[in-house]
Amino acid sequence: QTSGGPALNLRSPAHRTERELLKLALQYPQLVSPAFDAYGTDEFTAPPYAAVREAVAYAGGAEQGVPDPSGYLARVREAAPDDTVRAMVTELAVEAIMRRTVDEVYAGEQLVQVRLRAVDRRVRDLQGSFARLGPHAAPDQLAAAQNELWVLQQYGRALRERGADAL
């Protein structure tokens, strides 16, 4: 099942970053594991990328690619729900990484950007919820939303200040 979201647009900075992170997860799983395995499909806004993320999860996660890279890619392709997703997995597994030097720093930057965008989306959703709840909201409902908002804002600040160390 793919998550809903905007159509794939490679001009979108979010989609470019998601693509890059998936390429890293398929080509250099040792650089993004185990953090990548904690990412949900909802953190990928492009449905094709969410489907690839889900296939990686069904294959046991990026951590499975560390000891057995070739078997890992075969398992991810097998876990894909259809030929379209399998083709995307193959494409991402062979496409060049957008940086000459692929290292832990670069992988950390991609992990942080995808997570930070997901946190920012959730913050916006919660702020919209406050407007919908209005002044007559149940106190426990309001308190829960405020607490989640506060936690997310703190986490977003930590990601901006400490980068991958905050993951």
Side-chain angles (χ1 to χ4, degrees):
Q1 302 294 328
T2 62
S3 68
L8 184 58
N9 174 3
L10 293 181
R11 292 179 188 229
S12 160
H15 290 179
R16 282 196 314 265
T17 306
E18 291 169 14
R19 184 178 189 88
E20 199 69 2
L21 181 54
L22 288 168
K23 289 190 305 188
L24 288 166
L26 294 169
Q27 296 176 33
Y28 297 93
Q30 72 279 8
L31 294 179
V32 297
S33 179
F36 179 84
D37 293 336
Y39 283 45
T41 56
D42 61 332
E43 296 188 66
F44 293 83
T45 58
Y49 297 160
V52 171
R53 170 62 190 102
E54 196 167 281
V56 170
Y58 284 143
E63 196 165 21
Q64 297 298 312
V66 176
D68 181 19
S70 61
Y72 162 67
L73 285 173
R75 284 190 303 278
V76 173
R77 278 193 283 274
E78 288 169 12
D82 57 40
D83 288 341
T84 303
V85 178
R86 275 188 284 285
M88 178 65 71
V89 169
T90 301
E91 180 179 321
L92 295 170
V94 298
E95 186 175 302
I97 304 292
M98 299 294 286
R99 183 139 168 216
R100 188 175 303 232
T101 304
V102 180
D103 57 12
E104 290 175 358
V105 172
Y106 182 67
E109 290 168 357
Q110 303 314 301
L111 285 162
V112 167
Q113 284 304 310
V114 169
R115 175 62 54 87
L116 192 53
R117 285 188 178 105
V119 167
D120 289 344
R121 281 191 307 275
R122 182 64 186 142
V123 165
R124 285 190 304 275
D125 289 348
L126 282 170
Q127 289 169 336
S129 293
F130 284 128
R132 287 187 298 279
L133 287 173
H136 304 294
D140 59 333
Q141 203 178 22
L142 192 56
Q146 286 174 328
N147 184 55
E148 184 180 356
L149 180 62
W150 183 83
V151 168
L152 284 169
Q153 288 172 330
Q154 295 303 311
Y155 185 46
R157 183 175 297 121
L159 286 169
R160 285 178 182 84
E161 291 173 1
R162 297 194 340 252
D165 291 339
L167 294 170

